[in-house]
Amino acid sequence: MIYRYTVALLLSVIFGSTAFAQRDSVSLNSIIEKTSNLAKTRPVEKVYLHFDKPYYAVDDTIWFKAYVTDNFKQPSQLSKVVYVELMNSRDSLTKLLKLPVRNGVAYGSFPLPELNYRQDNYHLRAYTKWMSNFDTDYFFSKTITVGSAIDKEVNVNITSSKTGADKQLQITSRIVYKDVDGVPQAGKKVSWTVSTISDDIAKGRGTTDASGALTISFTNSKQADLTGANINAVIDLGNKKSVGRSFPLRSVLGNTDVQFFPEGGELLAGVRQKIAIKAVASSGLGMAYTGSVVDNAGAEIAKLTSQNAGMSLFVLTAEAGKTYKANLTFANGTKGSYDLPKAQTSGFNISVSNIDPQNLNIKMLASPAFFEANKGRSFYIMAQSVGTVCFAAQTALREQVYSANIPASKFPTGVVQFTLFSSAGLPLSERLVFVNRNDALNLTLASDKPSYGVRQKVKLNVTAKSKGAPVDGDLSVAVIDESKVPVDENNETTILSSLLLTSDLKGYIEKPNYYFVKPSDKTNADLDLLMLTQGYRRFSYTQVLAGQLPAIESLPEQGIEISGTLRTTNGMPFKGGNVRLLIPDKYFSANAISDPEGRFKFTNLVFPDSMKVVATAKNNYNSRNLMLMMDGDKYPKIDKNKLYPDEVANIDSTLRPYLLNSKKQFGAMHVLKEVIVKAQKPSLTVDHSKYPALTGLSNIPDHMMAADRFSACANLFMCFQGQLMGVTYDQGNFYVSRDYNQGRKVPMALFVGGMPVDVNYLNSLTAKDIESVEIFLKDELGLINNANQTNGVLVVNTKTPPKGNKISLAELQDLLPQPSVAKLTPKGYDITREFYSPKYDVPKPVGQDLRSTIYWNPRVVTDKATGATSVEFYNADGKGNYRVVIEGFDKDGNVGRTVYRYKVQ
């Protein structure tokens, strides 16, 4: 069903209003018109990513499908390009994908090679350029934990706690070291440092006890901001082997945060109101508690018990002049007393109940003082979902409390925002409600057999229906071996939890799929609690009614665009100039004419990433007097990861079953046969004597990386951030990883072509410009580091121009950069890889099949007439339950998901 919600202007029916009061200054039609205009001129886009599994290991591949939708959850026709970014725990970009969107979907993957990735909590976000015009809180975001089992010699587990405050704040951490078989690393020396970006807070040494544990404790005597601090611990395993780990302290800092949320916004005196409570621990997760609400005389008003994620609800009729507080006892044994907001003597609130699945019950509650002062005045109520007005009505205030029912059929499934306005258009009260029409796309799976054997062929029949009728669904299917990949279903990110819930709310939501995986009266009540406590400000009514629409900096992309300005050499725009675009490797060319401001644009281009592009204005009669100024790509800034509560502190133990299988799989796939190499290895040795600034360096670096290592890089600066061995990038500098993890944050010296440069200079280089990269983790003589106050040296050796014959002056001029010619390497589309699914329809091959992702198919399309299709694949060698997840949408905006399991014996 295509939702085109019609506004119901029930001016006299719902609330019994007879006419607009004479004091009305803004009509309800005006509010509706301006809100609808916002939806038309600033339509909402959403992006959701379906992954093959919830977490990964180094040397895995992250497979995903992107769904891009509009206001009505239909496949978006607005943007044809989607961006997917992968950041590490220090919020540094490790990889950016640019993918073409067709019919609202795109496909991609992130390989995680061991040389470029390490064990960490990565942050992924996805968006379109159109979405970047608005609040980045509405981008798709997800924390993805990546473990490592390759050549791992020790597993680490840490627990931390705090006591005191301010200068007496003491942090105590217990770090336990065990080998991969679980044997404690007893009697090992450990050095540790607590550091922020700019300072070391504490340091020390110790020896692990018989259980492999070391307890460290320090006091924050400097009163430093520890929210970004880490404990960097290095254990000496002997035989010149050491292992360093970094542990963030953010999760143990701060006090439990308790907030109160009166329904409608304000606590009103003389009005019976629902009040929600939310308690959040320093980890960012909800905290369970029990307690009571008492007044200033000590009389108990209500008992409290948290329901879900630290949230609870009680009812209060506040009395003027009285104060109230909540006395809470938390699950960890701590106690606290928290003041409720002061009751307002005058106010007007809205209350909504969705207990009845057929109707929403709306109440308007005026405090006695407000009722007496505003009796007979007109007020408006309006409801909108994702910017689309679904309901509006007008009433006159004739009773202190008035209620009415509105059919739930007027609203789409998802978050609906109710707002109560004064006749002057001033928002007085708001309430979020989640409406569930139970109209999700009905997806079913059925296997051709009740159970299977290892490596046996599986056929799954898929059907997609909406309201009983078959539909042509665009779906994605992931099959995993559940014994190798245990799943917390409540904490999954799904197409339902994303497109219907989290994409419309600001802030962190704990375990969003809890509200969808097993719906019940309890989960519905908990979801309503979430609506009472969660923020929502996709737009401000005050700005909308004032005609202040969000500024637009980026238009929706219909493909790759290359643009710029054609000017004369004295800087004046050149009108009517011909600009030619060439992509030599694709035998492509196109022409554009500059407008009166000298602007030109090439649109709907299609080419892969790292492609060389040339723009030229030389075919103009006065080209020697012209110059091209090309526009660069703009990307939204990378914010701090708001989903840090989802980060896993102890990856080794939390992902143990998965990492054990990953280690076996890596070993089975990387057994090398003996190879006799007859040809000589080309030498990458660099003679530093010809560069005076590098004469103190050895000719044998700690790491040497050939240029072909970066052949796929369109931007060296971006690739260097994640691919340099033994080097860490953070806050605009490169550091020696070993020293960085121990808290010594002294930047490395950077040289290109023998000359010292800053980090930004790398933006001007491509892989074809360089010969090799040398990494010196230590400057033996200290001539460079002592002179520049640096630690370690990073040397980028550029290619030496080949010697040739003498050329004429005219030939030399052709080789020199020309203002009317621009050579570019713009960001193109990243090539979509295909998931490999083995076939065992031949005699069983040698070796083990230890796959955890058994099957991944992002291109499952059901037949329009029957709503049916099927997929086929082969099991691996693992026995137990295999878990199948299928989700997607149809062209009418119906989204759906289902989970199916079958047994392998």
Side-chain angles (χ1 to χ4, degrees):
M1 175 180 178
I2 302 176
Y3 291 111
R4 301 299 185 194
Y5 302 105
T6 303
V7 177
L9 299 181
L10 309 181
L11 299 182
S12 303
V13 178
I14 293 294
F15 299 116
S17 174
T18 57
F20 283 94
Q22 295 298 316
R23 287 165 288 186
D24 294 349
S25 57
V26 175
S27 71
L28 180 57
N29 284 332
S30 176
I31 299 176
I32 296 170
E33 181 181 351
K34 290 183 178 181
T35 305
S36 299
N37 183 55
L38 174 69
K40 291 177 183 178
T41 60
R42 306 293 189 271
V44 172
E45 272 192 321
K46 298 181 180 182
V47 176
Y48 164 69
L49 267 55
H50 178 200
F51 297 91
D52 63 307
K53 53 193 171 190
Y55 45 81
Y56 299 86
V58 171
D59 213 44
D60 276 350
T61 296
I62 300 174
W63 299 96
F64 65 86
K65 178 179 181 177
Y67 294 87
V68 185
T69 68
D70 61 15
N71 300 43
F72 305 100
K73 299 183 285 296
Q74 295 172 315
S76 177
Q77 301 302 313
L78 199 61
S79 296
K80 298 297 187 293
V81 182
V82 66
Y83 297 85
V84 186
E85 299 172 339
L86 187 65
M87 284 80 70
N88 60 24
S89 59
R90 297 183 298 278
D91 299 311
S92 295
L93 183 67
T94 62
K95 186 70 175 178
L96 167 67
L97 299 182
K98 184 175 185 177
L99 302 171
V101 176
R102 296 183 179 89
N103 298 320
V105 298
Y107 322 99
S109 61
F110 285 105
L112 303 172
E114 58 176 314
L115 292 178
N116 302 336
Y117 291 87
R118 63 183 181 88
Q119 181 165 295
D120 199 1
N121 289 288
Y122 289 85
H123 172 218
L124 186 146
R125 72 175 186 177
Y127 57 90
T128 64
K129 281 292 181 70
W130 176 252
M131 292 170 63
S132 68
N133 291 305
F134 314 109
D135 197 332
T136 58
D137 281 343
Y138 296 105
F139 288 4
F140 174 84
S141 296
K142 181 177 174 61
T143 296
I144 293 183
T145 301
V146 177
S148 178
I150 301 173
D151 299 328
K152 181 179 285 187
E153 296 190 29
V154 63
N155 289 330
V156 187
N157 188 285
I158 186 171
T159 54
S160 299
S161 61
K162 71 179 180 76
T163 56
D166 299 329
K167 287 187 177 182
Q168 302 303 315
L169 175 65
Q170 186 175 48
I171 304 291
T172 301
S173 297
R174 185 173 186 267
I175 309 176
V176 179
Y177 294 93
K178 294 182 179 181
D179 66 15
V180 292
D181 297 320
V183 178
Q185 295 289 295
K188 303 295 184 182
K189 294 182 179 179
V190 179
S191 60
W192 56 270
T193 305
V194 179
S195 58
T196 63
I197 294 175
S198 58
D199 194 12
D200 289 341
I201 307 302
K203 61 178 61 178
R205 295 176 179 273
T207 304
T208 57
D209 60 20
S211 63
L214 174 72
T215 300
I216 65 176
S217 183
F218 71 94
T219 302
N220 186 21
S221 57
K222 297 182 180 181
Q223 285 191 277
D225 181 9
L226 298 180
T227 54
N230 294 306
I231 297 177
N232 305 297
V234 180
I235 183 172
D236 185 355
L237 299 177
N239 297 322
K240 298 182 179 181
K241 292 182 180 180
S242 61
V243 174
R245 291 288 180 87
S246 182
F247 308 97
L249 286 173
R250 177 168 49 189
S251 62
V252 296
L253 299 172
N255 298 314
T256 301
D257 179 38
V258 177
Q259 297 184 56
F260 301 91
F261 301 88
E263 185 177 23
E266 290 186 334
L267 180 60
L268 303 181
V271 175
R272 182 177 172 82
Q273 280 181 275
K274 290 183 287 188
I275 300 174
I277 303 178
K278 187 169 186 178
V280 179
S282 57
S283 63
L285 300 175
M287 203 167 182
Y289 55 83
T290 58
S292 63
V293 177
V294 298
D295 62 16
N296 54 327
E300 184 177 276
I301 306 299
K303 290 187 178 296
L304 301 173
T305 301
S306 56
Q307 294 178 210
N308 175 62
M311 296 181 290
S312 66
L313 180 73
F314 68 97
V315 178
L316 171 68
T317 303
E319 298 182 34
K322 279 192 174 183
T323 58
Y324 304 88
K325 64 181 178 180
N327 298 319
L328 304 180
T329 300
F330 298 101
N332 61 3
T334 60
K335 298 182 178 182
S337 183
Y338 305 89
D339 293 329
L340 270 68
K342 185 178 180 180
Q344 304 297 309
T345 57
S346 181
F348 198 17
N349 274 1
I350 186 172
S351 171
V352 183
S353 172
N354 64 348
I355 296 177
D356 181 355
Q358 303 301 321
N359 296 284
L360 297 182
N361 179 261
I362 299 179
K363 289 183 180 180
M364 293 190 301
L365 307 98
S367 68
F370 186 91
F371 178 71
E372 291 299 325
N374 296 275
K375 189 182 302 183
R377 289 190 177 184
S378 293
F379 294 89
Y380 311 136
I381 185 170
M382 193 167 77
Q384 61 84 21
S385 179
V386 200
T388 301
V389 178
C390 306
F391 171 83
Q394 172 190 326
T395 184
L397 183 59
R398 303 199 183 280
E399 299 180 48
Q400 187 178 344
V401 178
Y402 194 86
S403 66
N405 289 330
I406 302 175
S409 59
K410 293 186 178 297
F411 308 99
T413 294
V415 178
V416 179
Q417 178 189 18
F418 284 84
T419 306
L420 180 64
F421 294 91
S422 70
S423 59
L426 179 67
L428 301 177
S429 177
E430 290 184 347
R431 171 70 152 98
L432 295 185
V433 180
F434 189 89
V435 175
N436 189 353
R437 298 278 304 281
N438 295 310
D439 56 356
L441 186 65
N442 183 17
L443 301 177
T444 59
L445 287 168
S447 56
D448 61 333
K449 296 180 181 179
S451 63
Y452 298 89
V454 298
R455 302 199 182 190
Q456 190 172 359
K457 185 177 181 179
V458 177
K459 181 178 180 180
L460 293 177
N461 295 308
V462 181
T463 58
K465 294 182 179 181
S466 177
K467 296 179 175 60
V471 294
D472 48 345
D474 194 335
L475 314 171
S476 44
V477 175
V479 184
I480 60 173
D481 182 344
E482 204 165 16
S483 64
K484 296 180 174 65
V485 192
V487 177
D488 179 359
E489 291 191 325
N490 289 337
N491 203 31
E492 282 189 290
T493 301
T494 72
I495 196 169
L496 300 177
S497 68
S498 178
L499 294 183
L500 300 181
L501 184 65
T502 58
S503 60
D504 285 327
L505 299 176
K506 297 186 70 169
Y508 172 71
I509 299 175
E510 184 177 345
K511 297 190 174 183
N513 200 42
Y514 160 77
Y515 306 103
F516 298 91
V517 65
K518 293 180 180 178
S520 64
D521 290 342
K522 182 182 186 313
T523 58
N524 292 338
D526 291 340
L527 180 54
D528 195 53
L529 257 181
L530 180 70
M531 295 296 100
L532 285 167
T533 61
Q534 203 70 27
Y536 179 102
R537 284 295 179 273
R538 190 179 282 276
F539 63 86
S540 166
Y541 270 119
T542 303
Q543 293 177 329
V544 171
L545 297 180
Q548 299 173 0
L549 299 180
I552 298 300
E553 296 183 1
S554 300
L555 294 174
E557 292 180 294
Q558 296 300 299
I560 300 175
E561 297 182 354
I562 295 177
S563 61
T565 304
L566 181 62
R567 299 182 183 273
T568 60
T569 51
N570 62 4
M572 297 298 294
F574 187 77
K575 175 186 177 182
N578 183 277
V579 181
R580 188 171 182 80
L581 186 78
L582 304 170
I583 307 179
D585 290 347
K586 287 182 65 69
Y587 304 101
F588 175 86
S589 65
N591 291 303
I593 304 298
S594 59
D595 65 15
E597 296 181 351
R599 298 288 301 165
F600 61 88
K601 181 187 290 187
F602 298 92
T603 61
N604 298 329
L605 302 174
V606 177
F607 55 83
D609 197 26
S610 304
M611 187 71 69
K612 290 290 186 181
V613 177
V614 178
T616 176
K618 291 187 68 174
N619 52 350
N620 292 281
Y621 71 94
N622 58 343
S623 62
R624 290 190 177 184
N625 297 319
L626 299 177
M627 61 179 179
L628 288 171
M629 302 180 67
M630 307 302 295
D631 296 332
D633 285 331
K634 294 182 180 179
Y635 298 98
K637 70 173 184 177
I638 297 176
D639 299 318
K640 292 291 184 181
N641 181 13
K642 297 180 177 63
L643 304 183
Y644 73 88
D646 287 337
E647 294 181 352
V648 177
N650 295 303
I651 297 176
D652 291 336
S653 56
T654 305
L655 270 61
R656 181 172 175 77
Y658 183 75
L659 295 180
L660 287 174
N661 182 73
S662 176
K663 182 179 180 180
K664 294 177 182 177
Q665 189 176 16
F666 182 83
M669 296 175 62
H670 293 78
V671 177
L672 302 180
K673 296 180 179 180
E674 182 180 3
V675 178
I676 300 175
V677 180
K678 297 182 178 179
Q680 290 186 343
K681 179 182 178 181
S683 175
L684 290 177
T685 303
V686 179
D687 182 9
H688 296 132
S689 62
K690 59 182 178 181
Y691 301 121
L694 303 178
T695 52
L697 287 179
S698 168
N699 286 332
I700 304 177
D702 292 285
H703 300 291
M704 170 73 82
M705 306 175 73
D708 57 9
R709 184 69 180 278
F710 310 100
S711 59
C713 295
N715 184 298
L716 278 182
F717 180 39
M718 186 180 297
C719 288
F720 277 14
Q721 293 182 30
Q723 296 189 18
L724 298 182
M725 292 183 288
V727 175
T728 295
Y729 176 81
D730 188 24
Q731 302 292 324
N733 287 299
F734 292 98
Y735 301 90
V736 176
S737 297
R738 175 189 58 209
D739 298 331
Y740 178 91
N741 292 333
Q742 295 181 20
R744 186 185 178 196
K745 298 183 179 179
V746 180
M748 299 179 72
L750 178 60
F751 289 82
V752 175
M755 300 295 293
V757 299
D758 62 14
V759 171
N760 291 326
Y761 184 82
L762 295 175
N763 281 310
S764 65
L765 298 178
T766 65
K768 294 182 179 179
D769 298 324
I770 68 172
E771 187 73 37
S772 62
V773 177
E774 296 178 280
I775 300 170
F776 295 87
L777 303 180
K778 183 181 293 186
D779 177 12
E780 297 291 348
L781 299 180
L783 299 180
I784 295 176
N785 288 161
N786 291 337
N788 298 282
Q789 301 301 307
T790 52
N791 177 46
V793 185
L794 182 59
V795 179
V796 180
N797 298 304
T798 54
K799 290 182 178 179
T800 303
K803 295 181 180 180
N805 300 322
K806 292 183 179 180
I807 60 175
S808 65
L809 178 60
E811 291 173 324
L812 177 61
Q813 289 175 337
D814 287 338
L815 293 175
L816 295 175
Q818 301 175 55
S820 60
V821 177
K823 297 181 179 180
L824 316 169
T825 310
K827 178 67 179 173
Y829 290 133
D830 288 271
I831 298 174
T832 301
R833 304 169 65 218
E834 292 295 326
F835 179 84
Y836 171 69
S837 183
K839 294 184 178 181
Y840 294 125
D841 50 1
V842 295
K844 182 176 179 180
V846 178
Q848 289 183 291
D849 186 343
L850 300 171
R851 289 173 296 147
S852 56
T853 297
I854 307 302
Y855 182 68
W856 166 251
N857 187 347
R859 298 178 177 88
V860 179
V861 178
T862 58
D863 179 72
K864 183 177 181 179
T866 63
T869 188
S870 63
V871 295
E872 296 179 351
F873 55 90
Y874 289 82
N875 295 322
D877 288 341
K879 297 180 180 180
N881 288 327
Y882 281 25
R883 184 175 188 259
V884 186
V885 174
I886 183 168
E887 54 185 30
F889 59 11
D890 64 13
K891 65 179 182 180
D892 292 333
N894 301 299
V895 297
R897 179 179 192 266
T898 193
V899 177
Y900 179 81
R901 289 176 172 86
Y902 66 89
K903 196 170 188 64
V904 177
Q905 298 174 331

